[in-house]
Amino acid sequence: MPVFLSTDDSDFEARFAALLAAKREDSVDVDDIVAGIIADVRTRGDAAVLELTKRFDRLALTAEAMRFSAAEIEAECAKVSPEDRAALELAAERIRAYHARQRPEDAMWEEPTGARLGWRWTPVTAAGLYVPGGLASYPSSVLMNAIPAQVAGVERLVICCPTPDGVVNPLVLLAAKISGVTEVYRIGGAQAIAALAYGTDTIAPVDKITGPGNAFVAAAKRRVFGRVGIDMIAGPSEILVIADRDNNPDWIALDLLSQAEHDESAQSILVTDDAGFGQAVVQAVEKRLETLERRAIAAPSWRDNGAVIVVRDLAEAARISNRVAPEHLELCVADPEGLSQQITHAGAIFLGQYTPEAIGDYIGGPNHVLPTARSARFSSGLSVLDFMKRTTLAQMTPAALRAIGPAAVRLATSESLQAHGLSVQARLDRLND
Amino acid sequence: MPVFLSTDDSDFEARFAALLAAKREDSVDVDDIVAGIIADVRTRGDAAVLELTKRFDRLALTAEAMRFSAAEIEAECAKVSPEDRAALELAAERIRAYHARQRPEDAMWEEPTGARLGWRWTPVTAAGLYVPGGLASYPSSVLMNAIPAQVAGVERLVICCPTPDGVVNPLVLLAAKISGVTEVYRIGGAQAIAALAYGTDTIAPVDKITGPGNAFVAAAKRRVFGRVGIDMIAGPSEILVIADRDNNPDWIALDLLSQAEHDESAQSILVTDDAGFGQAVVQAVEKRLETLERRAIAAPSWRDNGAVIVVRDLAEAARISNRVAPEHLELCVADPEGLSQQITHAGAIFLGQYTPEAIGDYIGGPNHVLPTARSARFSSGLSVLDFMKRTTLAQMTPAALRAIGPAAVRLATSESLQAHGLSVQARLDRLND
């Protein structure tokens, strides 16, 4: 049974704080191993990658065979059913349409002094997308990472997806193709991250690496951060559902389970203003768990990390949610739009009872790569901006320099940076001649 | 003497590659020490911070005395000359005006199915700004970090600035006051970063930490990343100047020296299409170095890391610059705007000969916290967006769910995530009843 709290309980604050502080992630420390792998790939390049792929993925490759050929990609894509293909294409189209609206605007304006100021956005030149192999090899994640990069205008997009024992997921290759990615390598783990960051004879280095991965991949991304850009380090998935009594308990139960089935470390929280509805959802979850295919994962997740929190009113529900800062937030209430105005921290909000979170995972349009582990307090889901950067622009005229230059000279002097001051003063001296 | 290269040299590519690959930063490995400090502050809170401050800053404090009182801040601010105060205020006003234009727009739109999609931006609740003590205690950096946070709408802004041996820089406190920051602690180093990230009895934790610092501060920021958001890990400063012959060699020399005087690891590069002009700049640098106050820093920086690169034409200059991806780029050419269109990677561009980089450090308006060490390939200078995050919004209607729900069910099934599919299917079943 998950914890069942009420904000009326005298020990609520302590128990809620414990829930917030609970560290769900099993933090295997692989940092030393990963440091060794990165050093090895930097030194020996392809040879190291091939050896490590043989060791970890039980797959003997040559440098030439690391990359899927165009024919191999075509052959794999042909295995996908027309129905799956159509679903992927619809998802891609919707994700592309949503992200196209995120393209940022350049700006340039002139001040009364004649000075011109502004900024300009440009895409990253090359981006690498990591796609896990095996069970967690999700074609939807390929779309969610590759399409924003493509919309941003990234010239070169590379995918690394390990194929343990040689097993390939045709849907991943089809998702890559639909996203316009033709450079796909069957390598994974820390060795793939190292190859993307530093390059090998076969794999040219990239500027930015995104995508989920296991502990080795996460540690490697953290280590190469600075050499290349990375997206967030994702933790276990989580959902918080705010629901009043006018909901179908079974729908809410399925929404909670759709996070719980990801991972034993995932967390599902229901916040409701009706204790009886909370009990009904708990029963509905138990009922669904009897037959759910992934109950061996979902049951311990719900039991160990799940929670039902009964609140006095929906305003309190919003405050509770803001302290959790959930990755996914469903507002299954009469006025979801109104309640959403009270939400200050959440990765994604799903409004109303006809918007199960799974819609956002696949087909809604917004990105499903979202901040976990309370990091919605300070970070956002993946977007087009993650594949672009902004260059600021400034152009002084003689009049502008005369107007503001003296203040720069004074501040430079106060910071004992004489050359800074002289670089302005020398120009002012000429202008004042 | 700095290296003097020409793209006509037969060994140019190798020498330029070496210049790009040169690791200028002296990477003292303090990671183990920093891990210990963070663990100590997490365990013992204030007591650890006070002990470490006594050890590293030779300053005995009590928990109460860690924070500057309002009276202390007033007393320190009163020491600042009216001229310095006016300069700081002008800078703050211009920085605020520039950054106010960066405030992002919310969006919400309706699709033909009736589905509504969009996003909403919200500020981080609390941000901590690190300000180095001693020589590198720059009031301009206080403005450049605090004002974007303030413009973003951050409720609580905290500054940590160590005062080794009790020495306070009144300009830093005045800059804090001008930026609206009243919570200022006289602590520094990894212990300050740990206190900001995890909180102590005296210092409530923040959600985001920005600001430059030494190797200890950088290592601590890297370690708390994930628990809180951080800005970039800044490396030594750098400038690249593209200048044609129609420039005053002394002005260009001073611009190069204004980076070189920051740090022996700083880098200044001149790219010119006129070898004679390049030689004239080298001579002007030598002449200025004879009398420059910080010549003990600037001379070795220029000698060891400086470079003059002679190119065939300005298009080649742009290509060279893009490979460097400089933090600061000056375009001292007849058509700087036109040349800037060829620039794909740079932190900030200064257009024309009346825009020395120092204007951008203090008073231009754009931020001076910019990506170093070639990271302009994938990252941007500090901005209002660094203190905000985006929540995506989605609301399906019954008609929308009927239109796109089946594709979500199919994709969930293809990923073996049954509960995801059921959460959509259960709703579709009801709608189709």
Side-chain angles (χ1 to χ4, degrees):
Chain A
M1 282 288 293
V3 293
F4 203 103
L5 309 179
S6 165
T7 54
D8 278 334
D9 297 341
S10 58
D11 60 351
F12 173 76
E13 195 49 46
R15 294 180 70 191
F16 182 61
L19 186 73
L20 281 184
K23 189 168 168 55
R24 292 177 284 126
E25 210 166 353
D26 42 340
S27 54
V28 195
D29 190 359
V30 297
D31 202 43
D32 287 346
I33 301 170
V34 165
I37 290 174
I38 294 175
D40 194 18
V41 173
R42 286 186 70 174
T43 311
R44 297 196 300 133
D46 283 339
V49 172
L50 294 171
E51 265 183 42
L52 291 160
T53 301
K54 189 163 180 197
R55 189 188 323 162
F56 293 124
D57 296 338
R58 298 160 303 280
L59 185 66
L61 292 173
T62 60
E64 295 68 38
M66 278 200 281
R67 180 171 174 174
F68 281 95
S69 71
E72 284 169 322
I73 292 177
E74 282 309 317
E76 291 294 331
C77 290
K79 297 177 184 170
V80 177
S81 73
E83 293 79 10
D84 280 350
R85 176 185 290 262
L88 264 186
E89 282 172 349
L90 178 62
E93 182 189 312
R94 294 185 56 84
I95 296 164
R96 191 170 288 121
Y98 182 93
H99 287 80
R101 292 185 183 245
Q102 291 179 332
R103 269 191 295 246
E105 302 267 338
D106 294 344
M108 198 80 186
W109 61 92
E110 190 172 317
E111 300 189 332
T113 56
R116 295 172 67 244
L117 298 172
W119 62 75
R120 184 182 299 148
W121 290 87
T122 45
V124 163
T125 301
L129 159 55
Y130 190 84
V131 181
L135 253 188
S137 168
Y138 296 144
S140 59
S141 288
V142 175
L143 303 182
M144 292 292 181
N145 281 270
I147 291 175
Q150 198 193 33
V151 169
V154 174
E155 270 175 36
R156 177 173 163 249
L157 261 169
V158 186
I159 286 178
C160 284
C161 179
T163 59
D165 301 307
V167 177
V168 176
N169 181 344
L171 279 161
V172 162
L173 290 174
L174 180 59
K177 187 182 169 193
I178 289 173
S179 312
V181 185
T182 56
E183 190 177 342
V184 185
Y185 298 95
R186 53 187 122 212
I187 62 170
Q191 59 274 22
I193 302 297
L196 288 170
Y198 292 97
T200 70
D201 285 345
T202 301
I203 305 174
V206 301
D207 303 300
K208 177 109 188 184
I209 300 175
T210 69
N214 62 16
F216 290 85
V217 171
K221 281 171 65 180
R222 195 180 276 271
R223 280 202 163 256
V224 301
F225 170 51
R227 169 80 190 197
V228 297
I230 62 168
D231 62 344
M232 66 202 79
I233 308 284
S237 195
E238 63 213 12
I239 190 172
L240 189 147
V241 178
I242 298 179
D244 59 25
R245 75 174 72 183
D246 297 328
N247 277 280
N248 183 330
D250 182 52
W251 296 4
I252 304 300
L254 286 167
D255 297 352
L256 296 169
L257 286 171
S258 71
Q259 290 311 302
E261 75 174 346
H262 268 297
D263 188 337
E264 287 187 32
S265 306
Q267 182 165 55
S268 303
I269 299 176
L270 169 65
V271 180
T272 180
D273 57 356
D274 186 303
F277 178 76
Q279 294 290 4
V281 171
V282 170
Q283 284 165 24
V285 169
E286 295 303 325
K287 177 97 180 123
R288 283 289 185 178
L289 276 174
E290 290 169 12
T291 56
L292 196 70
E293 287 167 10
R294 293 169 71 101
R295 58 186 174 277
I297 294 168
S301 164
W302 175 241
R303 180 189 66 222
D304 299 338
N305 304 313
V308 176
I309 301 175
V310 179
V311 291
R312 296 181 192 92
D313 53 40
L314 294 178
E316 188 174 48
R319 290 197 297 276
I320 290 286
S321 178
N322 288 339
R323 289 176 65 187
V324 174
E327 181 189 10
H328 305 99
L329 171 62
E330 284 188 14
L331 301 180
C332 297
V333 298
D335 178 15
E337 177 89 28
L339 187 58
S340 79
Q341 303 289 340
Q342 298 175 46
I343 300 301
T344 53
H345 311 305
I349 300 180
F350 303 89
L351 299 150
Q353 60 178 330
Y354 291 106
T355 320
E357 182 276 325
I359 284 293
D361 281 340
Y362 294 113
I363 198 100
N367 211 286
H368 80 194
V369 181
L370 294 164
T372 58
R374 307 193 60 222
S375 65
R377 293 176 296 124
F378 55 80
S379 64
S380 312
L382 199 68
S383 81
V384 170
L385 294 186
D386 290 297
F387 297 98
M388 304 190 77
K389 58 269 182 338
R390 190 188 48 247
T391 299
T392 60
L393 301 165
Q395 180 165 30
M396 297 295 120
T397 57
L401 198 66
R402 268 194 293 257
I404 68 172
V409 175
R410 181 156 278 277
L411 290 170
T413 306
S414 80
E415 293 185 355
S416 304
L417 293 172
Q418 188 194 23
H420 284 66
L422 287 173
S423 73
V424 177
Q425 192 60 53
R427 287 156 165 104
L428 288 175
D429 289 346
R430 165 72 63 94
L431 291 173
N432 295 331
D433 264 359
Chain B
M1 281 292 290
V3 294
F4 203 105
L5 310 178
S6 165
T7 53
D8 278 334
D9 296 341
S10 59
D11 61 351
F12 173 76
E13 195 50 45
R15 295 182 70 192
F16 182 60
L19 186 73
L20 281 184
K23 190 167 166 57
R24 291 178 282 126
E25 212 166 351
D26 42 339
S27 54
V28 194
D29 190 358
V30 297
D31 202 42
D32 288 345
I33 301 170
V34 164
I37 290 173
I38 293 174
D40 195 17
V41 172
R42 286 185 71 174
T43 311
R44 297 197 300 131
D46 283 340
V49 172
L50 294 171
E51 266 182 42
L52 292 159
T53 301
K54 190 165 178 193
R55 191 192 318 164
F56 291 123
D57 296 339
R58 301 160 299 282
L59 184 66
L61 291 175
T62 60
E64 296 70 37
M66 277 200 282
R67 179 170 173 175
F68 282 96
S69 70
E72 285 170 322
I73 292 176
E74 280 310 314
E76 290 295 331
C77 289
K79 296 177 183 169
V80 177
S81 73
E83 293 78 11
D84 280 352
R85 176 185 291 261
L88 265 186
E89 282 172 350
L90 178 61
E93 182 190 315
R94 293 183 57 84
I95 295 164
R96 191 171 288 120
Y98 182 91
H99 287 79
R101 292 182 182 247
Q102 291 180 331
R103 269 191 296 245
E105 303 267 339
D106 294 342
M108 197 81 186
W109 61 93
E110 189 171 317
E111 300 189 331
T113 56
R116 296 171 68 241
L117 297 172
W119 61 77
R120 184 182 298 148
W121 290 87
T122 46
V124 162
T125 300
L129 159 55
Y130 190 85
V131 181
L135 254 188
S137 167
Y138 295 144
S140 57
S141 289
V142 175
L143 302 182
M144 291 292 182
N145 281 269
I147 291 175
Q150 199 192 33
V151 169
V154 175
E155 271 174 35
R156 177 174 162 248
L157 261 169
V158 186
I159 287 178
C160 284
C161 180
T163 59
D165 302 306
V167 177
V168 176
N169 182 345
L171 280 161
V172 162
L173 290 174
L174 181 59
K177 189 182 164 188
I178 290 172
S179 312
V181 185
T182 57
E183 190 178 343
V184 185
Y185 298 95
R186 54 187 120 211
I187 62 169
Q191 58 273 23
I193 301 299
L196 287 170
Y198 291 98
T200 70
D201 286 344
T202 301
I203 304 173
V206 302
D207 304 300
K208 177 106 187 185
I209 300 175
T210 69
N214 62 18
F216 289 86
V217 170
K221 281 171 68 181
R222 195 179 276 268
R223 281 203 161 255
V224 301
F225 170 53
R227 169 80 189 195
V228 298
I230 63 168
D231 62 343
M232 65 203 76
I233 307 283
S237 195
E238 63 212 14
I239 189 170
L240 189 146
V241 179
I242 299 180
D244 60 26
R245 75 173 74 184
D246 296 327
N247 277 279
N248 183 328
D250 182 52
W251 296 3
I252 303 301
L254 286 167
D255 298 351
L256 296 170
L257 286 171
S258 70
Q259 290 310 303
E261 73 174 346
H262 268 296
D263 188 338
E264 287 188 32
S265 306
Q267 183 165 55
S268 303
I269 298 175
L270 170 65
V271 180
T272 180
D273 56 356
D274 185 303
F277 179 76
Q279 294 290 3
V281 171
V282 169
Q283 284 165 23
V285 169
E286 295 302 325
K287 177 96 181 128
R288 285 289 185 176
L289 275 174
E290 290 169 12
T291 56
L292 195 70
E293 287 166 11
R294 294 170 70 101
R295 59 185 173 277
I297 295 168
S301 163
W302 175 243
R303 181 191 63 222
D304 298 337
N305 304 312
V308 175
I309 301 175
V310 179
V311 291
R312 297 180 191 91
D313 53 41
L314 294 178
E316 186 172 51
R319 290 195 299 276
I320 290 286
S321 178
N322 289 338
R323 290 177 65 186
V324 175
E327 180 190 10
H328 304 100
L329 171 61
E330 284 188 14
L331 301 181
C332 298
V333 297
D335 178 16
E337 177 90 29
L339 187 58
S340 78
Q341 304 288 343
Q342 298 176 46
I343 300 301
T344 53
H345 312 304
I349 300 180
F350 304 89
L351 299 150
Q353 61 176 331
Y354 291 107
T355 319
E357 181 277 327
I359 285 291
D361 281 339
Y362 293 114
I363 198 99
N367 212 285
H368 80 195
V369 181
L370 293 165
T372 58
R374 308 193 59 223
S375 64
R377 292 176 296 124
F378 54 82
S379 64
S380 312
L382 198 67
S383 82
V384 170
L385 294 187
D386 290 296
F387 297 97
M388 303 189 80
K389 59 267 183 335
R390 189 188 47 246
T391 299
T392 59
L393 300 165
Q395 179 165 29
M396 296 296 119
T397 57
L401 198 65
R402 270 194 292 256
I404 68 172
V409 175
R410 180 156 278 279
L411 290 170
T413 306
S414 81
E415 294 184 358
S416 304
L417 294 172
Q418 188 195 23
H420 284 67
L422 287 174
S423 73
V424 177
Q425 193 60 53
R427 287 158 165 103
L428 288 175
D429 289 345
R430 167 71 64 92
L431 291 172
N432 295 332
D433 265 356

